[in-house]
Amino acid sequence: MSIKSKIVVIDDEKSIRDFLEILLVQEGFDVLTIDPEPEALKKLKDENFDLLITDLSMPHFTGMDVLNFVQKHHPKKPVIIITAYGSPESAVEAMKIGAFDYVLKPFNVDEMRLKIRNALDQSHLLDEVKQLKTQVEASNFMDESSVGRNEKMQKVFASIKQIAPTHTNVLIFGESGTGKELCARAVHRYSDRAKQAFVTINCGAIPENLIESELFGHKKGAFTGADKDKKGLFELAHQGTLFLDEVGELPLMTQVKLLRVLQEGQIRPVGSESVQDIDVRIVAATNVDLKQAVKDGKFREDLFYRLDVISFELPPLRERKDDIPKLLEHFVKKHSALNKKKEKRFSNAAIQALLKYDYPGNIRELQNIVMRLVAVYQEEEIDVHHLPDTVKGQGSGNIGLDSAQLDLPEQGISLDDIMDGYEKRWLEQALEKSKGVKKHAAKLLNISFRSMRYRLKKHDLADDD
């Protein structure tokens, strides 16, 4: 392995600790041996390891105590229990509450090697699953935002790939729904921190009296309701990435403490007298003008420049409408597969209506529209009348076209297809209102019966008579 796995050994017999250390070092592992003194478990709290091996019966605490400690502070890290030959009942009980396996003393070296390898394989598999999840989340941003060819978005993709391998803080600007969190995940995914945690917090969603505890953690008894120690998000994101969404919503007092953390690389949990080192990359996002917030005294200037080492802005969907047709295609495929339904197509008229809409909710709103259309309607083609009223607009019943509402995409359009789509829609409505009587339908459209027949044949709407 390119990176050595680290194994912790806890046993009150020095000979066992020494033997296992020699064995494991020979196998290529980093090893930390711990003598189970009364305060020994405290050493484990901030220790980063891949596997822990502990004796079951020890003078100051038991292997069950160690197991419970690991499950609380290092969840999903495997624990192997060592127990005396002839008394495996307690070890089996430990497995029921989460131990990976147990070994009987005196243990067989080959058996120990096998159990260690199995435990590490499981640990690495869980890490890979976690990493794969992060990769999928990152690729979602690339998929859902890069399906088009909008110039502004191409610059964003280039920026992500360029800055991700660095260790600098990143500040992302953009309206709600433009994909800021997915963008942050992409930065994490393409960095050398990808195997570590990606932790998120919406700074505007946490009450002001709790935000400091959420970020930095607290000690038991630090305030009313703090009945146990709690790790903060900075500690959980150690060696990984912390995403501060809507960072402009942070209270000024919390901004001061966040600035100190960024300057010193240390956190002090609420109620604690000691500090601890942390290594966290900050990716922050905001939908407000932070420079204006600085002028207004709502955001600290020194914190702004700490966060704004590298920044870029995600354009709203109304500024990249040339990507809408491709985004529609992408979302239809995605949600048709999720709902196990046949893929639908959009009529030209529906596409034009969607192109004219301004999307205050941005890509998130577009995706929700498609999600609803796929789930609710059975027709293979989505037409204008299927669209939400907000998209159709207040003037959708007007047969004219308001030139002020037109928004010609950069790559151009097919005017013939658009006009054909509108013509077919009005023919269908006229037939519906006339209950299929073509002469009446022709009068509604102020055209001749002969012209009516021609147009119906053109759009495959004619029947045998």
Side-chain angles (χ1 to χ4, degrees):
M1 291 175 287
S2 57
I3 300 177
K4 290 183 178 181
S5 295
K6 187 170 186 177
I7 300 177
V8 175
V9 177
I10 304 178
D11 199 298
D12 58 327
E13 296 184 47
K14 186 177 185 302
S15 59
I16 296 292
R17 296 199 305 271
D18 292 344
F19 174 77
L20 285 174
E21 181 175 15
I22 293 171
L23 173 65
L24 296 172
V25 169
Q26 289 177 344
E27 293 290 315
F29 300 116
D30 281 336
V31 183
L32 171 65
T33 61
I34 296 178
D35 186 358
E37 298 173 349
E39 302 297 314
L41 285 182
K42 290 185 177 180
K43 298 179 182 179
L44 277 179
K45 186 174 180 181
D46 301 319
E47 194 65 47
N48 187 22
F49 59 89
D50 299 286
L51 168 66
L52 187 140
I53 303 172
T54 179
D55 192 13
L56 186 59
S57 178
M58 295 178 287
H60 299 294
F61 49 80
T62 68
M64 297 290 278
D65 294 327
V66 176
L67 177 60
N68 289 328
F69 187 90
V70 170
Q71 289 182 328
K72 178 181 178 181
H73 297 285
H74 301 278
K76 298 184 180 180
K77 293 299 182 183
V79 176
I80 293 178
I81 300 289
I82 301 175
T83 186
Y85 179 77
S87 59
E89 292 83 2
S90 296
V92 172
E93 187 65 28
M95 289 183 64
K96 289 180 180 179
I97 63 172
F100 176 80
D101 208 338
Y102 69 92
V103 180
L104 298 177
K105 289 182 180 180
F107 49 78
N108 179 281
V109 172
D110 290 334
E111 178 189 12
M112 177 63 84
R113 285 195 183 103
L114 178 61
K115 291 182 184 292
I116 288 171
R117 288 292 178 185
N118 289 340
L120 289 173
D121 285 345
Q122 174 180 285
S123 179
H124 294 154
L125 180 61
L126 290 173
D127 287 342
E128 289 174 5
V129 169
K130 182 178 179 181
Q131 182 182 0
L132 180 60
K133 182 180 178 182
T134 301
Q135 291 174 0
V136 170
E137 289 166 339
S139 65
N140 282 344
F141 171 76
M142 292 301 188
D143 288 344
E144 294 175 5
S145 300
S146 64
V147 292
R149 291 291 181 266
N150 182 268
E151 183 179 352
K152 292 181 179 179
M153 288 307 301
Q154 293 304 313
K155 290 180 179 178
V156 170
F157 309 143
S159 296
I160 289 174
K161 292 178 181 178
Q162 181 179 11
I163 68 177
T166 70
H167 294 272
T168 54
N169 295 330
V170 179
L171 183 57
I172 305 171
F173 297 95
E175 296 178 7
S176 178
T178 50
K180 296 189 293 295
E181 181 172 344
L182 290 174
C183 183
R185 290 183 183 276
V187 171
H188 175 75
R189 161 66 184 92
Y190 294 106
S191 73
D192 58 5
R193 297 172 181 261
K195 291 185 178 181
Q196 305 303 322
F198 178 87
V199 179
T200 70
I201 180 173
N202 186 320
C203 299
I206 308 297
E208 185 172 347
N209 62 328
L210 295 178
I211 188 71
E212 186 179 346
S213 170
E214 286 293 316
L215 288 173
F216 312 125
H218 63 250
K219 304 297 289 184
K220 180 179 178 180
F223 50 84
T224 303
D227 54 354
K228 60 181 179 180
D229 290 354
K230 177 184 177 181
K231 286 186 178 182
L233 298 182
F234 267 94
E235 187 174 355
L236 294 175
H238 182 57
Q239 297 183 332
T241 303
L242 177 60
F243 175 54
L244 302 175
D245 196 12
E246 304 308 340
V247 70
E249 301 295 326
L250 278 176
L252 283 171
M253 185 57 67
T254 307
Q255 292 180 32
V256 173
K257 296 180 179 179
L258 175 59
L259 177 64
R260 182 177 295 274
V261 171
L262 298 183
Q263 289 173 336
E264 300 178 0
Q266 294 179 324
I267 59 171
R268 185 192 300 273
V270 179
S272 175
E273 296 181 358
S274 60
V275 296
Q276 56 191 88
D277 295 334
I278 51 96
D279 171 21
V280 173
R281 182 184 198 175
I282 299 293
V283 179
T286 181
N287 62 9
V288 300
D289 185 345
L290 285 188
K291 289 185 178 179
Q292 185 60 48
V294 169
K295 292 180 181 178
D296 295 339
K298 297 179 180 179
F299 201 84
R300 292 184 61 91
E301 184 176 22
D302 44 8
L303 177 59
F304 172 72
Y305 287 113
R306 277 281 177 177
L307 296 174
D308 191 32
V309 179
I310 298 177
S311 64
F312 50 84
E313 184 170 2
L314 294 178
L317 187 54
R318 64 181 175 274
E319 294 181 8
R320 46 176 301 215
K321 287 189 175 181
D322 47 327
D323 283 345
I324 287 178
K326 286 293 185 180
L327 285 167
L328 285 173
E329 181 181 342
H330 170 75
F331 287 136
V332 166
K333 287 182 178 180
K334 175 181 176 180
H335 293 290
S336 296
L338 288 173
N339 290 278
K340 298 181 179 179
K341 289 192 173 186
K342 184 177 180 180
E343 290 182 18
K344 302 179 186 300
R345 63 180 181 274
F346 285 81
S347 71
N348 289 324
I351 291 175
Q352 292 308 308
L354 288 163
L355 284 170
K356 287 195 289 184
Y357 185 56
D358 276 343
Y359 300 95
N362 292 294
I363 291 180
R364 184 187 297 127
E365 183 178 6
L366 177 62
Q367 179 170 207
N368 288 342
I369 290 171
V370 175
M371 191 187 312
R372 179 177 179 273
L373 293 172
V374 169
V376 173
Y377 295 108
Q378 304 301 318
E379 296 93 327
E380 291 187 7
E381 182 176 80
I382 298 296
D383 206 348
V384 175
H385 66 276
H386 294 113
L387 301 178
D389 290 339
T390 52
V391 177
K392 288 187 289 188
Q394 296 298 320
S396 61
N398 190 340
I399 62 173
L401 291 175
D402 182 357
S403 62
Q405 294 179 349
L406 294 177
D407 189 358
L408 185 65
E410 293 178 4
Q411 82 278 18
I413 59 173
S414 171
L415 186 59
D416 288 339
D417 288 345
I418 292 171
M419 299 311 296
D420 283 344
Y422 274 108
E423 184 177 76
K424 182 178 180 181
R425 183 160 65 97
W426 290 119
L427 288 169
E428 290 173 334
Q429 288 192 20
L431 287 172
E432 182 178 350
K433 285 185 177 294
S434 66
K435 297 182 179 179
V437 180
K438 298 180 181 61
K439 287 185 178 181
H440 187 197
K443 288 182 180 180
L444 289 174
L445 296 173
N446 198 25
I447 58 177
S448 68
F449 180 69
R450 182 177 179 180
S451 176
M452 181 72 177
R453 291 180 61 184
Y454 167 78
R455 294 170 193 269
L456 291 176
K457 185 176 181 180
K458 173 185 174 183
H459 296 290
D460 295 323
L461 296 176
D463 51 24
D464 292 339
D465 65 345

